[in-house]
Amino acid sequence: MTKRTAAATQGDSLFDAVNAEPEPASKPAAKPRPKPLKPADLPLHAPLIHGETTASLLVRTGAANAVAPDLLLKALHAGRLTVPAAGVQPQQHEVRMSAEALERLAKLLDRPAEQLQRALPGLRAEQLLDEPGAVVRLVPWPEELGAGPLRACPLCMEDGAWLTADGHRWRPCPCGRRWMGGDDGGFLLETSLLPDLGRALVRHRAMDHHLGPAGDALVADAHQVALWWWVNKQVAADRWKERADALGCGRHLKRAAPAVVYPEVMTLAEAMGRWEQQRRKTDASAAEWLAEVAEAFEVPGIERGREREPLRYWLQLHPAGAEPAGDTSAERRWSQLPRLHHRPAEHGPWRATSCLRWTFGQPLTSTTAICPYCQGRALSCAWSPAPDCPEKPGSSDG
């Protein structure tokens, strides 16, 4: 073959290649389905943290075993399950599941279901989905204050863990070195620089030990009063500002407020405990008690000035002439509290809620909405409608 003939043949081949009909595109190969998870795929157990959210435990378990949390969710759910592109975010979502899904989780984690239910509030019987089969739901946390989870202390729990709030927007870690908050997407305050806060926690534990849940409820009341004073720059405003500065919260004073008032909260709570004893007598004098509190704080306005305002509401709910009932001292102390106090499910500090219903961060002198039952007449609903309004049909004592 001559050089010319070879070149022509090569040219014809290139022409044919360029103008040839394209071959039909082949379908992309289907992604293989991941194999169902087995307990052997999760050899490392994330330690259980009492009060942790379910989503938090699943994320920590997945991280410990290099397993994506969405695979864990899908292993608990029968059928197709859509997970957000961002994945499971414990600070934004909680995982709810049915009883059968809980059994699947118990088998995967190689833990008894009862053990999981004791540790995780979201897995307790009353929180399980009432649906047949293995069902999992990824549910956003409600937007109202106190609904979102608290960022857990990384010193004595685990970095990245989240705790259920149970209506509390903040509380100190039991170690006393961190305050855990749920506002603003969750935050932590290092409080070890302020020993007074640690001492306040010790006093709180002592009061709870001595008086039981009633003592914790009085601390909740005192905390509400102190936050009222904080908002109005009363009683110990300069001292609270110094503590907030020491915590490095100059730009986030509202985050610091619940922590920096703690020592004064305990002083007031202990005084409230004395009034609870005094008011069992019909002739107990609220005016004399206010004078004692004013002297303890060295603030005359607590007795007859603007600083008295939040205590005036409290005394309306805790009047003289209480008639305690019950077989034990703890039962009698609890029975004489107003019905707006509800016995906490667990014992210990920062479990009870207050009978004073203003919300820190919202107006103290106006109503944000009108209660449809009492029209705002009841103290429970003076600031916003309360689920335990005494005029609500079917309302009963807590």
Side-chain angles (χ1 to χ4, degrees):
M1 181 184 296
T2 64
K3 290 184 178 180
R4 184 175 179 180
T5 304
T9 303
Q10 185 178 7
D12 291 342
S13 300
L14 291 173
F15 179 84
D16 292 341
V18 171
N19 292 278
E21 290 291 330
E23 295 183 6
S26 58
K27 294 182 179 179
K31 293 183 179 179
R33 287 188 178 182
K35 294 181 180 180
L37 286 179
K38 303 184 295 296
D41 298 318
L42 304 171
L44 298 180
H45 286 191
L48 293 181
I49 298 174
H50 188 75
E52 187 177 13
T53 72
T54 307
S56 175
L57 175 64
L58 293 178
V59 169
R60 290 194 305 114
T61 299
N65 294 279
V67 173
D70 58 332
L71 293 181
L72 270 170
L73 287 183
K74 293 175 180 178
L76 305 177
H77 184 80
R80 188 177 181 82
L81 180 67
T82 301
V83 179
V88 184
Q89 302 288 329
Q91 69 271 35
Q92 298 177 8
H93 301 91
E94 176 59 312
V95 173
R96 299 196 61 195
M97 62 184 68
S98 64
E100 188 171 326
L102 171 59
E103 291 300 324
R104 289 190 179 193
L105 177 62
K107 290 178 181 177
L108 269 180
L109 301 186
D110 195 23
R111 292 182 183 275
E114 295 77 12
Q115 185 186 60
L116 296 174
Q117 289 182 298
R118 285 195 300 270
L120 277 60
L123 296 181
R124 292 171 186 162
E126 64 274 14
Q127 296 296 328
L128 295 178
L129 297 174
D130 186 17
E131 298 187 39
V135 179
V136 169
R137 299 275 185 267
L138 197 58
V139 183
W141 289 108
E143 295 183 359
E144 50 265 28
L145 296 171
L150 308 180
R151 186 185 292 272
C153 172
L155 300 180
C156 57
M157 298 184 200
E158 188 168 316
D159 194 16
W162 292 82
L163 308 178
T164 55
D166 288 331
H168 288 86
R169 295 162 61 185
W170 45 68
R171 62 173 177 262
C173 176
C175 73
R177 295 172 292 174
R178 294 288 187 277
W179 266 70
M180 307 176 293
D183 289 3
D184 303 325
F187 63 90
L188 289 167
L189 294 178
E190 181 182 352
T191 56
S192 56
L193 298 174
L194 294 174
D196 282 353
L197 303 190
R199 296 187 188 101
L201 178 58
V202 172
R203 292 165 69 186
H204 190 163
R205 286 173 177 156
M207 188 167 182
D208 180 76
H209 178 75
H210 179 61
L211 300 179
D216 191 45
L218 294 177
V219 175
D221 289 348
H223 199 250
Q224 283 287 84
V225 172
L227 288 176
W228 178 296
W229 287 337
W230 186 93
V231 168
N232 289 287
K233 297 181 171 61
Q234 298 170 341
V235 179
D238 291 341
R239 193 180 313 143
W240 295 334
K241 177 64 167 60
E242 290 174 2
R243 290 177 187 153
D245 290 341
L247 295 177
C249 293
R251 296 177 59 186
H252 300 283
L253 291 178
K254 284 188 177 180
R255 291 185 182 182
V260 299
V261 300
Y262 202 10
E264 288 71 28
V265 165
M266 290 313 307
T267 298
L268 179 58
E270 289 159 0
M272 287 176 165
R274 292 191 292 273
W275 172 247
E276 287 297 297
Q277 289 287 332
Q278 296 169 19
R279 76 185 187 97
R280 294 180 180 181
K281 300 178 180 179
T282 55
D283 60 349
S285 172
E288 291 180 5
W289 179 77
L290 283 170
E292 293 174 5
V293 176
E295 183 178 357
F297 281 95
E298 299 180 348
V299 178
I302 291 177
E303 182 180 2
R304 53 184 176 272
R306 292 173 57 240
E307 293 86 350
R308 182 184 63 174
E309 188 69 4
L311 290 173
R312 183 174 67 84
Y313 291 119
W314 186 77
L315 287 168
Q316 288 182 49
L317 293 168
H318 295 249
E323 297 180 358
D327 296 329
T328 66
S329 297
E331 289 176 352
R332 288 190 291 272
R333 282 191 290 266
W334 183 265
S335 71
Q336 77 176 50
L337 294 177
R339 62 191 305 277
L340 293 180
H341 278 293
H342 301 283
R343 186 183 290 272
E346 298 180 349
H347 294 295
W350 296 96
R351 300 298 177 184
T353 54
S354 176
C355 65
L356 301 173
R357 298 303 175 78
W358 52 80
T359 300
F360 180 63
Q362 295 182 356
L364 297 176
T365 57
S366 62
T367 302
T368 57
I370 302 298
C371 175
Y373 306 108
C374 71
Q375 306 302 314
R377 293 184 299 270
L379 272 181
S380 61
C381 309
W383 294 268
S384 62
D388 55 353
C389 172
E391 297 187 28
K392 180 179 179 179
S395 177
S396 60
D397 291 348

